[in-house]
Amino acid sequence: VLCCCCVSTAPPSVRIVHSGQTCSVEEERYSERVYTIREGETLELQCLVTGHPRPQIRWTKTAGGASDRQGDSSLHSDTLKIETISRHQGGRYYCKADNGLGSPAIRSIRVDVYYLDDPVITVHQSVGESKEQFYFERTVFLRCVANSNPPVHYTWRRGREVLSQGSDSGVEIYEPFFTQGETKILKLKNLRPQDYADYTCISSVRNVCGIGDKSARFSLNNRTAPPSIKLLLDDPLVVNPGETITLVCVASGGDPPPTLSWVRPGGEELPRRSRVKGGTLTVPAITVDDGGAYSCVASNNVGNPAKKSSTILVRGLRKGRFWITPDPYHNDDNIQIGREVKISCQVEATPPEELQFSWLKNGRPLRSSERMVITHTDTEVSPGTTNLDIIDLKFTDFGTYTCVAALRNGGTPEISIDVNISSTTVPPVLTVPRGRSHLIAQEGDTVDLQCLVSGKPKPIILWSRVEESGSAAAAVLLMPDGSAQMESYDGVLRITNVSRDMSGTYRCQTSQYNGFNVKPREALIQLVVQFPPVVEPVYTEIRQALGRAFSLTCRLLRAHPARLLRYEWKLGTRLLTVGQFSDQKDDTNYHVRALNREGYGEYTCDITNEAGAGRCTFLVTGKAYAPEFYYDTYSALWQNRPRVYGFKLQWTQMEPNAVDRILAYRLGIRQMSQSRWWEQEIPMEGTIQKGELLTYNLTELVKPESYLVRLTPITRYGEGDATERIITYSAPVNPHLREFQCGFEDEALCLFSQDKTDEFDWTRHSAVTRDTKYTPNTGPSSDHTGSKQGFYMYIETSRPRLDGDKARLLSPTFNMNAKSSSSGPSYCFSFYYHMYGKHIGETLNVFLRQKGQTVTDTSVWSLIGNQGDRWRQAKVNIQPTAAFQMVMEGVRGAGIEGDIAIDDVTIEEGKCKDPPPNNLRSLAPPSSPHIWQLCITLSLALIGRQR
């Protein structure tokens, strides 16, 4: 049967349900819900959406604490699943559904992760009373701390005695105001002999989520004292690279014996090769990078931890540099006979006080004199510098001067720096080769920027980028390797795979090191990177019917060079038109007056410049768009025979007027467990309108198999885009319900199910299996028919059940018979109940749950208290207007002797005949016709013979 009726698109709606492990789900007044789960278990939330077209779903999270706010994570799935959830993953989770109609629908749920860490006991004495003996006539504080959610409850014990406020005049128990709910302090005033004992702190979250209590123990005696330590090593410890060092830390006091550990400042990790055993730290093959401060920390939870540090100095010399300074009293950068010249040498040394310099001239030692003045900076200043001042330079002073840096106690190689002073020693001159100051490169090329440097000695060349203005301002752009500055020893900067963002002005300049200490010489090079045109759209699909006119537009976004641009339009390999861009235009168009069959295909537009081409591609096709399945059908699934079921498949056609009229749909269907497809063609009469709801009834589907359904539109062009969905069998939905009866004799419970949001479950029982050990004289002695072997549903109210706990049993989902009445059919719901026990207070409620646009529960029957040791029947009239379930709710009363049982549940069409007096109320809510009631029915076969 194919039905056609008009349905408007619908904006999304959303709700969140849970399907994983949980402790509880509580409603909040202003927010949505609070979902409580134990740390380490699996969080599983499902986002149920309605709306047409089918909304896209996205999960996002806002972290629970300010310290955990790292950007929102997102998940595009209807189910959010987090295995082994941690406390940091608690917070508010949002499900957002969007189908482009109106505002997106957003719902949230707060996930509260419960946990309890092991408690820690710390001991302190009162401030200002630190004397020789730690605990003698002192006030002592024992603080117990445990991280938890929910807030922890503490209990103190001395030996086996439970301590409470007021139980001992020498003991006070309190929680500091600033840490309410996080710590518990036991104050022992003026310590007495009986206070020397074993103390136990028990932390508890009252077994919430099944989290058991945890405890910590501390033994207080007259020897209890905070830790003290000493280091068995020199400070600082000076070592040579490659040596193995051992740092020894020993506890010199403290009870209980403290735990020793080694740390580095700022949380820096210990060297990977290091080994720690107790208070001994061993670092084999030490390197310069391993130098620095190391701290030994001792803790025994009494007082404050003890900490002592030592510094390791690894001998070494690094970064040897030199520079030549001409006579500062003459405005001349050249070295000249008769003037002064200074040679400076600089080295970084560890330890700096061991650094010593010496000078050689032509390989022979040089001592300080009136004309050769040697000076050194203070040894405490790092890096160390030595200067050789040559006064009144003479021709005989020309030669090679060597600066030698060494450490006084050896252990590391020397650094020697040679500086040549001669008539050829001249300051640097920096130039750019002719024709190389303005370079043009194609994107992707390798380009060399070159600055020629002359002079002796040759300095290092520093490369940087400057602002586009070309001024020699401070570099603000990064170099190709991501740094602000790059070094070159030959004056060449090589850039591989050059990109358009590397265009700009580059500066080369001389370094003051390893050359003359004069004003840096510099030069600028302009680099222009050409790239092909960037166009849009790169690719787009256009769907058109035959005979229609349309235009294609290719837009130029940017190009370099942006002059002399040409365009070329093609259909496949056939040239359509060519032309040249004007300066005022940044797009080109191609017009088709009337599309014919030869006009379908791939159109391309190439826009070219000297660097290459950018291409726009347009695929013009007559394929129909995909149909969009309608997922919000009321009571889509039905069952009228034991082994088969049917499904009402509904869809709308996306943009049906974009292409030629849809002639038919090809329906494909296969069982999920098989690979073979069955296909059936569904002819279409007339033109499908946008938003028109199409319906096709699938029958003879085998229980409980799931099916994959594929729907493909067909036009005179051929097949269009297909779409698929899965049909899953669920609890039966009966379109022509006459009578339903269940005596719970089958373990399947006639497809009744337990509600996942209640506190406990109904149990299937018979008189011969019922356990009366804890609740004698309660519950039925047989089922409703009197059989000891017959089964019924039963709630056990003995421990651990609490007053007010609820158990809900849900019937299968039914669809009312729409032909019975214009205002909805009437049904008689009846059942037998047994409510017996001396503790009055148990309640049995019945709700009608209707599944329309929203799910609503309406109370239709209720009874409370002891009704005697016999089965009674209840009947109630219901008049649903949508698919519905019956909800049986048992509520535990104040005592354990008082249980509830139900049996022989029946739903019959028509009003109840002679209902018993305890039928409290009937339900007849207003109704409105469904969309599918307005459909025009056409006769079609569902599935043809197997192809």
Side-chain angles (χ1 to χ4, degrees), residues 147 196 203 216 276 284-285 317 343 377 471 486 510 518 797 829 923:
N147 296 319
Y196 293 126
S203 58
V276 179
L317 298 172
I343 306 173
T377 58
S471 63
M486 295 174 66
T510 57
V518 294
T797 60
F829 176 70
L923 179 70

Side-chain angles (χ1 to χ4, degrees), residues 20 47 77 155 202 265 343 362 379 440 472 495 542 598 641 725 885:
C47 195
S77 171
T155 303
I202 302 170
I343 306 173
N362 298 328
T379 56
I440 297 176
I495 304 175
I542 297 175
E598 290 73 26
R641 299 213 311 275
R725 71 165 292 182
Q885 285 177 291

Side-chain angles (χ1 to χ4, degrees), residues 104-359:
I106 301 176
R107 289 290 181 272
S108 68
I109 187 168
R110 196 175 85 232
V111 176
D112 209 1
V113 181
Y114 279 5
Y115 58 90
L116 174 62
D117 291 343
D118 291 327
V120 175
I121 297 176
T122 56
V123 182
H124 298 270
Q125 69 171 348
S126 56
V127 178
E129 294 188 6
S130 181
K131 294 185 180 178
E132 292 182 3
Q133 280 189 299
F134 191 78
Y135 294 118
F136 179 71
E137 301 250 335
R138 298 281 188 275
T139 297
V140 176
F141 301 87
L142 280 73
R143 181 190 295 266
C144 186
V145 181
N147 296 319
S148 74
N149 184 35
V152 68
H153 173 76
Y154 296 97
T155 303
W156 280 102
R157 287 184 180 174
R158 181 169 54 198
R160 296 185 178 181
E161 174 193 5
V162 176
L163 298 175
S164 59
Q165 185 64 30
S167 63
D168 185 331
S169 60
V171 174
E172 286 185 16
I173 301 175
Y174 62 94
E175 296 173 345
F177 175 75
F178 55 89
T179 57
Q180 189 70 29
E182 297 178 8
T183 66
K184 193 79 166 184
I185 293 180
L186 182 68
K187 180 180 179 181
L188 307 176
K189 299 179 291 186
N190 293 326
L191 208 65
R192 305 162 300 178
Q194 63 265 36
D195 293 328
Y196 293 126
D198 291 338
Y199 291 86
T200 303
C201 172
I202 302 170
S203 58
S204 172
V205 289
R206 300 172 178 83
N207 205 39
V208 64
C209 281
I211 299 175
D213 296 350
K214 296 187 177 182
S215 63
R217 181 176 172 275
F218 187 87
S219 181
L220 184 66
N221 55 57
N222 58 3
R223 299 182 306 279
T224 300
S228 59
I229 53 175
K230 59 183 179 180
L231 300 180
L232 305 182
L233 65 149
D234 297 332
D235 185 30
L237 180 62
V238 181
V239 298
N240 293 319
E243 291 182 354
T244 296
I245 65 150
T246 301
L247 308 182
V248 180
C249 173
V250 296
S252 56
D255 189 286
T259 300
L260 303 177
S261 61
W262 282 95
V263 297
R264 297 195 71 176
E268 185 180 352
E269 292 185 357
L270 295 173
R272 290 188 177 182
R273 309 173 307 283
S274 62
R275 300 185 301 270
V276 179
K277 185 176 182 181
T280 301
L281 169 66
T282 302
V283 183
I286 197 164
T287 66
V288 173
D289 293 334
D290 298 331
Y294 288 76
S295 299
C296 175
V297 180
S299 176
N300 65 352
N301 291 340
V302 178
N304 296 318
K307 181 177 180 180
K308 286 194 174 181
S309 301
S310 180
T311 301
I312 298 177
L313 299 178
V314 183
R315 285 192 180 91
L317 298 172
R318 295 187 302 166
K319 294 186 179 179
R321 298 168 171 172
F322 75 92
W323 59 93
I324 302 169
T325 306
D327 192 337
Y329 300 105
H330 294 82
N331 188 20
D332 190 348
D333 291 342
N334 291 286
I335 297 175
Q336 294 188 23
I337 299 294
R339 293 184 182 177
E340 179 182 340
V341 63
K342 181 195 290 185
I343 306 173
S344 301
C345 178
Q346 186 180 81
V347 174
E348 292 184 4
T350 304
E353 64 271 14
E354 289 192 14
L355 176 62
Q356 55 187 18
F357 288 107
S358 60
W359 285 91

Side-chain angles (χ1 to χ4, degrees), residues 570-591:
K570 286 184 177 181
L571 172 56
T573 59
R574 180 161 59 95
L575 182 64
L576 300 175
T577 183
V578 296
Q580 186 167 325
F581 272 83
S582 64
D583 293 339
Q584 294 79 25
K585 199 170 183 184
D586 61 359
D587 62 28
T588 173
N589 302 287
Y590 184 76
H591 303 282

